Amino acid sequence: MGNDTTVEKPKPWAALATFLAVQAVLGCWWAAFYPGLFSRDSVLYLSHTVVGPWVSDHSVVYDALLWLSFRTTGDLGVVTFAQTTAMAAALTFLAQSLKALGAPRAPTTAVAVLIPLAPPVGAFAVTMWKDVPFTICAVAIAGVCARFAARRAITWPGLAGLGALILALGLFRANGFLVVGVAVVVLVLVVTTMRVRLLLAGTVAAALPLVLTNLVFPQVGIVAPSKTYVYHTAFGDIAVAFRDRPDLFSAQDKTLMASVAPLERWWWGGTCYTINPLIWRGDFSWQQADAHTTELLELWKRLLLSEPRLIVDARLCRGAIAWKPVQDPLMTGGATYRFSRRPTADTYVGPAKVPDFPGRQVYTLRPLSSELNQVADRWLTASLEPEYDWALWRGASWAYLSYLAVALGAVVLRNRYVVGVAAVVAGQQLAVLANISAQDFRYMASPIFVGVLLVPLLVRSAGMLVARLVRPARPQPVPEPAEGEQPPRADTPPA
């Protein structure tokens, strides 16, 4: 089917100009917060690779990048600068792909150039989190799907690029296979050609990181994640159930739980929004939790079968960052977490919280420009005010807008492939909803980026749809009367 709009092919110079503009803005963020923002997780990424043993609980690839930068340059700024470049390329690629699809050129370019000024993009891009390259891959996947939609077909180069991005997605986050699973199903339902090849490529690319983590990495001395790290959300479900329905727990259950942490810890850790007050406290023993994982999982399964609504409600509450547009700051863990702002590793994690290693001072904020730091810090601090949370930091709002944008775009352009642009957004939203630990904005960062870049397409599609609805119907031609026949009078209905 065709459409009633002519799309001008974006020019290469426009892409280069957009990329350079985005890179310049992100470069200012990098100079302002050199070598980058960080959290406790950021320190752990490097500490275990230096002290040993290597552990695959986060991302082996991202840990290796930090380790390589540390060993070769003595610092970590190379990694964060590479993140700004990759982010600039991904945003530019998505913008150009949307313009090829039919999004208005000037507004889409303007959004792409302005979005790095926003702290959720600029400050995020220079943070030492594995979520940053994960988000970059997700944005690029949306761009590939937009290219499919522009061509109304899947090409072999596009399929290869999609497979590579899906593979990287899984290598940067352990739950990447969940995101990929949903996204590929959406794409298979949308496209009309190469469905089997698409399904096969997605399956292989999603499975390979799991194979590496469970079979390959242990063979080269990289230790598998602890059982508590893998199943901590199930332990959080138990805590929520214990706080809400203590009558469900037998004396034997309580004895089991007490062997891991005092029952008071299970009660205080029973907030549904986060598992942090449970597992990240000194009286919760990870060693005992690992030793009793089988019994704890049996308890969780019993609760799931006997009181499924209790467990489902706990997951919905903990996954609120994925579906709820507003935070709940009055509840423990209900507020949106954005960034850790402390200037050194010791002031954040404390000198005894992670293994010490020579050169640990690399986790110290050392701005390359004090003037840029002052401007960026004030701008970031202002954006953290609660009234801006729903618009800047909650990905759920932008996920819903993305679905509206692709739905209207598919109708107006008469192109079902447009729906696929939001496939990765749906994948991330459902994956986070199913299994996440806290209300961290970074878990839903890519829906924010994709949603913002879809705004020009949404506005144009809505305008075209309204124009079609209000456009007056074309007058039907009146047939000429036959020879000798009188034309009907204006006030007399035809026979």
Side-chain angles (χ1 to χ4, degrees):
M1 289 183 293
N3 59 59
D4 58 357
T5 182
T6 300
V7 179
E8 185 178 353
K9 185 177 180 180
K11 297 178 174 58
W13 65 263
L16 178 59
T18 302
F19 168 77
L20 293 176
V22 175
Q23 177 68 79
V25 176
L26 293 179
C28 290
W29 284 101
W30 181 73
F33 291 117
Y34 183 88
L37 297 174
F38 54 89
S39 68
R40 180 183 185 277
D41 283 351
S42 308
V43 182
L44 291 174
Y45 294 164
L46 184 60
S47 65
H48 73 90
T49 65
V50 176
V51 178
W54 279 54
V55 183
S56 60
D57 53 356
H58 288 286
S59 167
V60 172
V61 173
Y62 194 70
D63 294 351
L65 292 175
L66 290 176
W67 175 84
L68 183 62
S69 176
F70 179 71
R71 288 300 190 189
T72 57
T73 70
D75 212 334
L76 305 174
V78 172
V79 174
T80 48
F81 186 81
Q83 288 176 182
T84 66
T85 303
M87 182 70 78
L91 292 173
T92 301
F93 177 61
L94 177 56
Q96 293 300 107
S97 300
L98 290 174
K99 287 188 281 187
L101 173 60
R105 295 185 59 192
T108 302
T109 300
V111 170
V113 171
L114 292 175
I115 190 176
L117 293 171
V121 180
F124 177 69
V126 297
T127 303
M128 284 174 270
W129 280 335
K130 63 183 182 294
D131 308 86
V132 177
F134 174 89
T135 299
I136 292 169
C137 292
V139 172
I141 288 173
V144 172
C145 294
R147 293 285 174 173
F148 292 159
R151 297 183 175 93
R152 300 173 187 262
I154 296 179
T155 62
W156 279 108
L159 185 60
L162 181 65
L165 289 169
I166 288 174
L167 174 60
L169 200 73
L171 291 173
F172 285 119
R173 275 201 69 88
N175 68 344
F177 72 96
L178 295 174
V179 179
V180 171
V182 175
V184 170
V185 168
V186 172
L187 289 173
V188 168
L189 293 175
V190 168
V191 303
T192 57
T193 60
M194 296 180 69
R195 284 176 168 169
V196 175
R197 296 180 178 89
L198 173 61
L199 185 61
L200 181 61
T203 302
V204 171
L208 187 55
L210 298 176
V211 173
L212 291 173
T213 299
N214 294 288
L215 299 179
V216 178
F217 290 157
Q219 300 302 316
V220 295
I222 299 177
V223 180
S226 69
K227 294 179 180 178
T228 299
Y229 183 84
V230 175
Y231 299 113
H232 63 279
T233 53
F235 299 166
D237 295 340
I238 294 174
V240 172
F242 181 68
R243 182 166 181 163
D244 293 347
R245 293 285 307 277
D247 58 291
L248 297 175
F249 294 79
S250 67
Q252 183 179 0
D253 297 333
K254 294 177 183 178
T255 300
L256 168 65
M257 295 162 61
S259 68
V260 176
L263 294 180
E264 290 81 5
R265 172 54 51 206
W266 287 97
W267 191 90
W268 284 109
T271 172
C272 66
Y273 280 108
T274 177
I275 51 89
N276 292 341
L278 175 65
I279 67 171
W280 296 115
R281 297 298 181 266
D283 54 0
F284 184 95
S285 173
W286 280 56
Q287 292 78 10
Q288 288 297 314
D290 286 351
H292 295 284
T293 295
T294 301
E295 298 97 311
L296 289 170
L297 289 179
E298 287 297 325
L299 172 57
W300 180 81
K301 291 176 184 177
R302 194 188 78 210
L303 293 171
L304 178 62
L305 294 175
S306 63
E307 299 290 337
R309 182 171 180 178
L310 190 63
I311 303 301
V312 171
D313 286 347
R315 292 292 170 122
L316 289 175
C317 177
R318 198 177 302 119
I321 191 70
W323 64 269
K324 192 175 181 181
V326 295
Q327 63 179 339
D328 192 355
L330 299 180
M331 298 297 293
T332 302
T336 308
Y337 167 78
R338 289 81 165 233
F339 295 107
S340 301
R341 305 290 307 286
R342 309 212 178 165
T344 68
D346 285 343
T347 57
Y348 181 71
V349 302
K353 296 295 185 181
V354 299
D356 201 1
F357 60 92
R360 181 170 162 179
Q361 66 273 11
V362 293
Y363 287 102
T364 302
L365 188 62
R366 291 162 275 133
L368 300 182
S369 168
S370 58
E371 292 80 8
L372 282 175
N373 176 260
Q374 292 174 8
V375 172
D377 191 66
R378 284 197 297 266
W379 177 227
L380 174 57
T381 302
S383 72
L384 299 177
E385 291 297 321
E387 58 264 30
Y388 306 126
D389 182 74
W390 67 274
L392 292 178
W393 305 102
R394 302 289 288 194
S397 306
W398 294 102
Y400 300 138
L401 183 141
S402 297
Y403 304 146
L404 178 61
V406 297
L408 285 180
V411 171
V412 169
L413 298 175
R414 298 187 176 93
N415 182 353
R416 60 188 290 173
Y417 281 70
V418 179
V419 175
V421 177
V424 71
V425 174
Q428 187 156 2
Q429 186 178 32
L430 292 178
V432 170
L433 182 60
N435 188 37
I436 207 65
S437 58
Q439 305 302 298
D440 291 11
F441 111 90
R442 53 179 164 159
Y443 298 151
M444 286 288 289
S446 62
I448 299 175
F449 301 177
V450 175
V452 171
L453 279 167
L454 280 170
V455 168
L457 179 64
L458 171 63
V459 173
R460 183 184 190 192
S461 299
M464 294 178 64
L465 186 61
V466 170
R468 288 180 185 176
L469 294 175
V470 301
R471 184 183 301 163
R474 294 179 180 177
Q476 298 297 321
V478 178
E480 293 291 333
E483 185 176 353
E485 179 180 351
Q486 295 294 326
R489 293 174 51 188
D491 58 350
T492 303

